[in-house]
Amino acid sequence: MEGVIKRRLGDMLVESGKISMPQLQEALKKQRITGKKLGEMLIELGMVTSEDIMEVLEKQTGIKRINLNITTFDKRALKVVPESVCDKHELIPFGFNENRIMVAMWDPLNIFAIDDVSISSGFEVETYICTREEIKKHIEMEYSSQKVTKAAEELSKGKLEAKTIQVQEEEQFDDIKNAPVVKMVEYLFKNAVEMRASDIHIEPFEDEIRIRYRIDGQLQTTNSLEPESQAALVTRIKILAGLNIAEKRIPQDGRIITKVGHKDVDLRVSILPVVAGEKVVIRILDRESYQIGKERLGMKNDDLEVLDRIIKSPHGIVLVTGPTGSGKSTTLYTVLNELNTGDVNIVTVEDPVEYTLKGVNQVNVNTKSGLTFANGLRSILRQDPDIVMIGEIRDSETAEIAIRAAITGHLVLSTLHTNDAPSSVLRLVDMGIQPYLVSTSLAGIVAQRLVKKICPNCRQAHEASAYEKAILGERNNEAVTIYKGRGCGYCNNTGYSGRVGVYEIMEITRDHRDMILNTRDSNQLMDLSIKNGMKTLGMACKELVLEGVTTVEEMASIAFLKE
């Protein structure tokens, strides 16, 4: 029977002109040797693509095609078909149509797969065609979410798990490899990475423990546990992070380096005592994001040209400013990668070192032992550096040493918390730095924000309302087309997927230096920079709105600066 099915697919491809009969015979011969499926063999031999097979099957069998990226999954369907069946046959259930279970399949002619699904679920099967890549991705994502929910239920039911707080040794605790709390934490990390979360929040309240992920800058509730589960869950995380499990009165910080799938993941753990217990926040550091290249930061070509000129200064300070979570670290590491050519000595002082760069000497701040930004900076200036990176200028002492380093021939990169580029100048002056030192040392300032991108699968156009035109600064009598996501399975019904950087790059010219010496007015610095061609954050975001990359709501969230 299996041979009949395989010949049937082959015949369809021959009839449609996608392959010739000799090609089919060659593929069948090799398929018998390898044991692979015919479709897989044809793709491997380069005779057809996945798209060709989808097209032929849809046309000649009448089986509909499904795009899982925009499909909202019915969790009940996932519960009745085991993950092992999905992996074995490369399929995934996604919903019900009356008394039939709807299943996306890479090989919808495989009657053995259909029988397996029917037997395991107890439903008749309604098949749909989908690419293998989509199916594999969604098996990982959807079943990891299901495992978290199942582990949460098991953990909530197992009241005895709360007693694990009395366990004092990691060895004793890890004897229970299949304990619900062990599985819960493992699945929690895996699911968060699959969902592209940047942070995991575990928050204790009187009646529940709430688990939320921050995805694309927005917190989304994913699970809740019984309050009795808190002790076991926090203890497990503390053990993995190398923290003191007996200490519950003071904040603790730790780090977990683990493997999720084929990815090495760096997790930063912060534990804070709150009224109902201990709140845990786990930052997921994506090491790959620091190796993207400055062309993929989201800057336009004219911005990239200005940034190139700034970072190629032989000396001076380059500041990256913005609130927490605005992508400053990604920008700094990307610039460092660009400057790390092998003929320069680069030394950094960071709190903490988020990603280790080959060829760069990185110092981790340790305030307990007295290694602060200021002390570390003093020491590294004796190490004959060409380029110095300071994680953050937090106080006047650090600012002063950084300024002195810049005017003595070093290129200094750092971050500062300000709302826009011009106000960074006033921030340095307010820290007690003399205006003449600020004007002499500054090379350029990059202010940035991250805005959410509209989901490409559910994006739709509409005419801007009077309110939206007012935010965009457009005339009310002119028609303006903008875009918004209506919400779909791909974006978890948020209308957004991913984020993009918005930049305001102020290059310090001779006119800027004169103005810094004579005035403390950031508005004048802003006007001068705009006259020189600088785009403000609002201007840059407006371009993205009109291009259909982001929404007016996202622009309003960063354009509180009166521009």
Side-chain angles (χ1 to χ4, degrees):
M1 180 64 79
E2 191 175 354
V4 173
I5 293 166
K6 285 173 179 168
R7 279 198 300 277
R8 204 173 139 204
L9 173 62
D11 291 341
M12 287 180 194
L13 290 166
V14 171
E15 285 169 25
S16 64
K18 297 292 182 186
I19 59 172
S20 64
M21 186 57 75
Q23 283 179 313
L24 173 59
Q25 289 168 348
E26 181 191 345
L28 283 169
K29 185 179 176 182
K30 291 191 176 178
Q31 180 268 328
R32 281 192 290 271
I33 297 168
T34 61
K36 293 181 179 179
K37 293 177 182 175
L38 179 61
E40 191 179 346
M41 198 71 246
L42 288 164
I43 292 169
E44 196 175 293
L45 292 169
M47 294 177 181
V48 293
T49 64
S50 293
E51 202 60 39
D52 291 332
I53 293 176
M54 299 290 105
E55 185 187 321
V56 168
L57 284 172
E58 186 177 19
K59 188 176 178 181
Q60 299 207 18
T61 66
I63 299 171
K64 292 179 185 175
R65 190 164 178 183
I66 184 81
N67 183 352
L68 293 178
N69 288 332
I70 59 173
T71 302
T72 302
F73 280 75
D74 187 330
K75 304 298 180 187
R76 295 172 302 164
L78 295 163
K79 284 182 179 178
V80 296
V81 180
E83 185 181 4
S84 57
V85 172
C86 296
D87 282 331
K88 179 182 176 184
H89 298 297
E90 293 175 317
L91 56 84
I92 188 167
F94 59 88
F96 293 96
N97 182 9
E98 295 178 351
N99 65 336
R100 296 187 299 277
I101 188 167
M102 297 188 287
V103 180
M105 301 179 68
W106 154 240
D107 181 5
L109 303 177
N110 186 341
I111 59 170
F112 302 112
I114 294 168
D115 285 347
D116 273 1
V117 173
S118 184
I119 291 164
S120 62
S121 67
F123 290 91
E124 287 183 32
V125 179
E126 185 175 303
T127 59
Y128 292 78
I129 308 168
C130 187
T131 65
R132 170 187 284 160
E133 294 73 26
E134 263 184 62
I135 289 170
K136 284 185 175 178
K137 181 180 87 175
H138 285 278
I139 289 173
E140 283 285 323
M141 192 180 297
E142 298 299 332
Y143 278 95
S144 66
S145 294
Q146 190 193 37
K147 284 175 184 174
V148 172
T149 304
K150 191 176 176 184
E153 288 169 0
E154 287 178 15
L155 183 56
S156 294
K157 276 189 272 184
K159 306 293 184 187
L160 291 174
E161 282 298 318
K163 294 181 181 178
T164 55
I165 192 63
Q166 298 169 0
V167 179
Q168 299 294 317
E169 298 294 332
E170 182 175 353
E171 292 78 10
Q172 288 173 285
F173 191 89
D174 280 341
D175 281 343
I176 319 168
K177 291 293 181 186
N178 294 316
V181 69
V182 177
K183 289 193 286 185
M184 173 70 194
V185 172
E186 180 187 336
Y187 297 150
L188 189 65
F189 292 167
K190 187 174 189 295
N191 184 233
V193 172
E194 293 288 346
M195 297 287 287
R196 300 179 296 105
S198 60
D199 301 87
I200 304 169
H201 289 242
I202 302 169
E203 303 163 310
F205 298 99
E206 285 185 12
D207 56 345
E208 67 167 352
I209 297 168
R210 182 172 65 178
I211 297 175
R212 298 193 289 174
Y213 296 160
R214 188 177 293 281
I215 302 171
D216 295 333
Q218 192 170 345
L219 282 169
Q220 299 176 17
T221 302
T222 57
N223 292 94
S224 64
L225 304 173
E226 294 295 327
E228 292 85 357
S229 308
Q230 196 218 358
L233 191 58
V234 175
T235 300
R236 177 62 183 166
I237 292 168
K238 281 183 176 178
I239 286 170
L240 291 172
L243 302 177
N244 183 354
I245 62 175
E247 182 56 75
K248 292 182 278 184
R249 299 162 301 171
I250 60 172
Q252 294 190 69
D253 295 309
R255 181 180 183 185
I256 302 170
I257 298 175
T258 186
K259 208 175 187 70
V260 175
H262 300 294
K263 282 179 88 172
D264 288 321
V265 179
D266 195 346
L267 307 171
R268 298 295 162 86
V269 179
S270 172
I271 297 179
L272 180 72
V274 292
V275 172
E278 291 177 282
K279 181 178 189 287
V280 181
V281 176
I282 302 168
R283 168 65 57 91
I284 302 169
L285 295 177
D286 182 2
R287 298 183 170 203
E288 293 173 8
S289 68
Y290 299 131
Q291 303 179 68
I292 59 175
K294 69 178 191 302
E295 293 77 15
R296 289 179 58 198
L297 285 172
M299 291 183 186
K300 301 294 174 89
N301 288 334
D302 49 350
D303 285 337
L304 283 172
E305 287 173 14
V306 177
L307 182 64
D308 265 338
R309 285 201 302 270
I310 291 171
I311 65 175
K312 284 175 182 172
S313 303
H315 53 80
I317 290 186
V318 179
L319 291 175
V320 182
T321 78
T324 302
S326 60
K328 298 189 299 295
S329 294
T330 301
T331 302
L332 272 183
Y333 277 119
T334 303
V335 169
L336 275 183
N337 259 332
E338 182 88 8
L339 296 170
N340 187 18
T341 54
D343 57 353
V344 289
N345 178 22
I346 304 175
V347 188
T348 75
V349 53
E350 306 168 60
D351 182 21
V353 172
E354 292 190 18
Y355 175 68
T356 51
L357 292 167
K358 188 176 180 182
V360 176
N361 306 284
Q362 294 168 275
V363 177
N364 210 79
V365 164
N366 187 340
T367 49
K368 289 179 183 176
S369 63
L371 179 54
T372 61
F373 276 116
N375 291 340
L377 186 50
R378 278 196 191 92
S379 298
I380 65 178
L381 288 175
R382 302 186 197 107
Q383 291 282 314
D384 184 33
D386 298 295
I387 299 166
V388 175
M389 195 270 268
I390 309 161
E392 184 185 340
I393 295 178
R394 294 179 181 172
D395 51 52
S396 56
E397 189 181 9
T398 307
E400 190 175 337
I401 302 166
I403 295 281
R404 300 284 179 191
I407 61 177
T408 53
H410 303 89
L411 180 63
V412 180
L413 310 176
S414 191
T415 67
L416 200 62
H417 288 283
T418 58
N419 288 331
D420 58 20
S423 60
S424 302
V425 174
L426 302 188
R427 178 85 179 101
L428 290 171
V429 173
D430 287 343
M431 281 182 168
I433 308 301
Q434 292 297 320
Y436 78 91
L437 289 174
V438 175
S439 69
T440 307
S441 60
L442 273 179
I445 303 167
V446 180
Q448 69 179 77
R449 298 288 191 281
L450 290 176
V451 293
K452 296 196 281 289
K453 292 196 293 185
I454 299 170
C455 173
N457 290 296
C458 62
R459 190 182 79 150
Q460 54 189 17
H462 69 278
E463 190 175 328
S465 65
Y467 171 71
E468 289 168 330
K469 286 176 188 173
I471 293 174
L472 289 166
E474 296 288 329
R475 291 178 185 171
N476 205 20
N477 59 351
E478 292 180 3
V480 178
T481 301
I482 55 176
Y483 299 81
K484 196 168 187 174
R486 66 176 181 275
C488 65
Y490 181 75
C491 60
N492 202 19
N493 293 312
T494 62
Y496 296 102
S497 177
R499 290 191 289 176
V500 65
V502 179
Y503 301 92
E504 174 180 291
I505 306 178
M506 188 170 92
E507 186 178 12
I508 304 298
T509 63
R510 181 177 293 179
D511 289 339
H512 283 88
R513 299 188 198 285
D514 292 341
M515 191 172 282
I516 292 167
L517 285 170
N518 298 316
T519 181
R520 290 193 181 189
D521 190 345
S522 63
N523 290 326
Q524 288 186 33
L525 285 169
M526 178 74 80
D527 293 341
L528 174 62
S529 300
I530 293 170
K531 183 182 171 184
N532 288 349
M534 182 187 85
K535 282 182 292 191
T536 64
L537 290 167
M539 291 174 185
C541 198
K542 178 181 174 179
E543 285 185 8
L544 295 178
V545 171
L546 296 176
E547 289 168 8
V549 176
T550 191
T551 61
V552 167
E553 288 81 4
E554 284 296 288
M555 179 178 170
S557 72
I558 70 163
F560 58 90
L561 317 163
K562 303 292 183 186
E563 293 164 359

